[in-house]
Amino acid sequence: MKTICALATAPMNSAIHIIRVSGNDTYKIINRLSSFPVKKQSYAIQRVSLVWNNKTIDNVLLMKFIAPKSYTGEDLIEINCHGGIYLANKIIDILVACGCQLAEPGEFTRRAFMNNKLTINEADAINNIINASNDKAIDLANNTFNKQVIKALNKFKEELFKLIGQVEVNIDYPEFDDIPNINKKTFLKKIDDLIKEAELIVKNSRIIKPIKDGVNVALIGRPNVGKSSLMNALLDEQRVIVSSVPGTTRDVVSSKVNINGLTFNVMDTAGIRKTTDQLENISIDMTNNAINNAQIIIWLVDGSQKLNDEDKKIKSLLKDKKYLVVINKSDLKRKVNIKGIKISAKNNQIDLLIKTLWKYASHIGDVNLNNPILQSDRSIELMMNIVEQLQGVKDLIHQKMTLDLAIEYLHHAMNSLMGILGNGKEYNFVDQLFKNFCVGK
């Protein structure tokens, strides 16, 4: 494979930059630039000058690794140079002139996967660590490296493989008396066990999604109750336009806020009311979608006014949902007759709401870290497909169909499992996975 290079740090001026070089010709290429011979020494640091066309480019530190004991499983050197982005790009240009190829997004981690340094789930976890926006997301991603997932999936594969083998033997060699027949009761018991295990993995993996992506919080209320003011107070910035004109918010405006290590996606929505404005009606439809996608709904009411028909309509929309009643404008004379959390968004008096939000959301994402957790939506979808295929087998058996029809479902389930493990025949999914990584990773 071609030796690759890329900037592993952010493309901006900083104190230092790190440039990664990985491949069979790593040391050969570096020695073309180095003022001193660069010997192969794993886990060693060497200080050299990089020289090109008889000019010193920079004094750098080389972090040296030798295959297979490196991130990629190949010979790898990390060049620690001074932090000018022009300088870093110049060094990369010289590396390319000496025989390197610019790395594609995620190519270093792709090579780590191809060289059996990482599983697909661990690669997904690395991407989740990079994109983590809170402590809990980091904990859940790091949990992947305790090997619980790969052990569980390999055990699942072994059980499914045994089942496929036993069924195929009974189909292909029915004339041999010494081959034990698989009876319907035993077969269905094994299928049920696999379905339960797969469903548990899906359930646990879905639980962590709000932790990775943030807990969706929808601010719902009629126009001019202070949703935009509350949004700005939660974010501690003027993110949304505040106006006394009804219908100012025409879109769902979303921003992230971190509270005690947990990320909340706060969505300021259009006020729900009767209107003939076509754009505002579209905005209200978007508000309804935000309600359906929220883990936490805040129904904001104006404490200085009595509940009106629009408030009552909103309450009816939320009747089958969990929501927090928040009474805004507590600095004004109270007229509303409803229990709720009292705040003044305009005066940034929202401490009680923040505490309640955290308490309300702290259980979201609670999962036993000893249970296997899949780190990507792609893997979860594949596991769901396994459940569907196994359920299809059950349906066939209950319909008294022959096992030769059921075996196709079992093979489809195995193909999905191999996709999760990264051992499938088709590697298109690998290309898609690593495109989500940054170039130097």
Side-chain angles (χ1 to χ4, degrees), residues 399-414:
Q399 293 168 19
K400 299 182 179 181
M401 298 291 184
T402 56
L403 284 178
D404 57 331
L405 295 175
I407 198 67
E408 291 299 319
Y409 285 87
L410 294 176
H411 278 302
H412 284 308
M414 179 61 83

Side-chain angles (χ1 to χ4, degrees), residues 13 23 26 44 56 69 134 139 161 167 201-202 216 281 293 309 319 332 336 341 372 374 379 394 400 409 423 425-426:
N13 288 334
T26 294
T56 298
K69 296 181 179 180
N134 58 74
D139 292 341
F161 185 78
V167 172
I201 293 172
V202 170
N216 291 336
N281 276 322
N293 293 323
D309 290 340
K319 65 179 180 179
L332 303 177
V336 70
I341 302 165
L374 301 176
S379 293
K394 280 186 65 176
K400 299 182 179 181
Y409 285 87
N423 298 324
K425 294 178 182 178
E426 297 295 333

Side-chain angles (χ1 to χ4, degrees), residues 79-250:
I79 304 171
N80 288 251
C81 65
H82 288 95
I85 188 61
Y86 177 82
L87 173 65
N89 286 332
K90 185 176 181 66
I91 293 172
I92 290 172
D93 288 342
I94 294 170
L95 288 169
V96 171
C98 289
C100 273
Q101 180 174 292
L102 290 175
E104 297 291 332
E107 190 168 355
F108 290 91
T109 304
R110 179 193 173 102
R111 291 191 178 195
F113 164 69
M114 294 298 187
N115 292 323
N116 297 315
K117 304 295 289 185
L118 294 170
T119 66
I120 279 289
N121 205 52
E122 287 170 340
D124 283 322
I126 287 172
N127 204 31
N128 288 340
I129 290 172
I130 292 170
N131 294 298
S133 58
N134 58 74
D135 294 341
K136 206 166 183 179
I138 292 174
D139 292 341
L140 288 167
N142 276 319
N143 179 63
T144 299
F145 297 97
N146 67 11
K147 304 299 181 182
Q148 287 295 113
V149 177
I150 195 67
K151 287 178 183 177
L153 292 178
N154 279 331
K155 182 181 177 182
F156 192 100
K157 181 180 75 171
E158 184 180 340
E159 293 299 320
L160 183 56
F161 185 78
K162 285 180 182 177
L163 193 59
I164 291 172
Q166 193 169 4
V167 172
E168 286 191 333
V169 166
N170 277 273
I171 292 172
D172 294 339
Y173 304 101
E175 69 275 12
F176 290 101
D177 296 331
D178 57 340
I179 296 174
N181 286 318
I182 182 168
N183 63 65
K184 178 179 175 181
K185 183 177 179 181
T186 302
F187 183 77
L188 286 175
K189 173 67 168 58
K190 290 183 177 180
I191 291 292
D192 278 332
D193 289 343
L194 288 173
I195 288 175
K196 286 177 184 177
E197 190 171 348
E199 286 178 337
L200 180 61
I201 293 172
V202 170
K203 178 184 176 183
N204 288 332
S205 302
R206 280 176 167 172
I207 286 173
I208 71 168
K209 188 172 177 61
I211 302 303
K212 291 192 303 175
D213 302 335
V215 179
N216 291 336
V217 180
L219 306 182
I220 308 299
R222 60 182 171 85
N224 283 357
V225 294
K227 296 186 299 298
S228 296
S229 295
L230 176 56
M231 173 83 158
N232 291 334
L234 286 167
L235 301 177
D236 197 23
E237 63 176 80
Q238 289 299 115
R239 175 70 174 83
V240 187
I241 297 173
V242 177
S243 169
S244 60
V245 179
T248 301
T249 301
R250 293 294 186 95

Side-chain angles (χ1 to χ4, degrees), residues 376-428:
S376 73
D377 292 340
R378 177 194 62 82
S379 293
I380 294 171
E381 286 175 11
L382 286 171
M383 187 58 72
M384 289 170 59
N385 181 258
I386 291 171
V387 173
E388 290 174 8
Q389 298 300 327
L390 294 176
Q391 189 60 52
V393 172
K394 280 186 65 176
D395 293 342
L396 281 175
I397 299 303
H398 289 309
Q399 293 168 19
K400 299 182 179 181
M401 298 291 184
T402 56
L403 284 178
D404 57 331
L405 295 175
I407 198 67
E408 291 299 319
Y409 285 87
L410 294 176
H411 278 302
H412 284 308
M414 179 61 83
N415 286 338
S416 292
L417 182 60
M418 299 304 276
I420 296 172
L421 290 167
N423 298 324
K425 294 178 182 178
E426 297 295 333
Y427 276 87
N428 291 336

Side-chain angles (χ1 to χ4, degrees), residues 342-369:
K342 301 179 185 65
I343 66 165
S344 173
K346 181 180 177 181
N347 297 321
N348 271 6
Q349 295 172 357
I350 59 170
D351 289 348
L352 181 58
L353 174 59
I354 288 176
K355 289 178 182 178
T356 306
L357 266 180
W358 164 247
K359 183 179 179 181
Y360 206 74
S362 59
H363 71 283
I364 294 176
D366 281 349
V367 63
N368 186 344
L369 293 180

Side-chain angles (χ1 to χ4, degrees), residues 53-64:
N53 291 334
N54 297 318
K55 290 183 180 180
T56 298
I57 305 302
D58 195 18
N59 296 308
V60 301
L61 292 177
L62 303 180
M63 303 283 292
K64 301 186 294 184

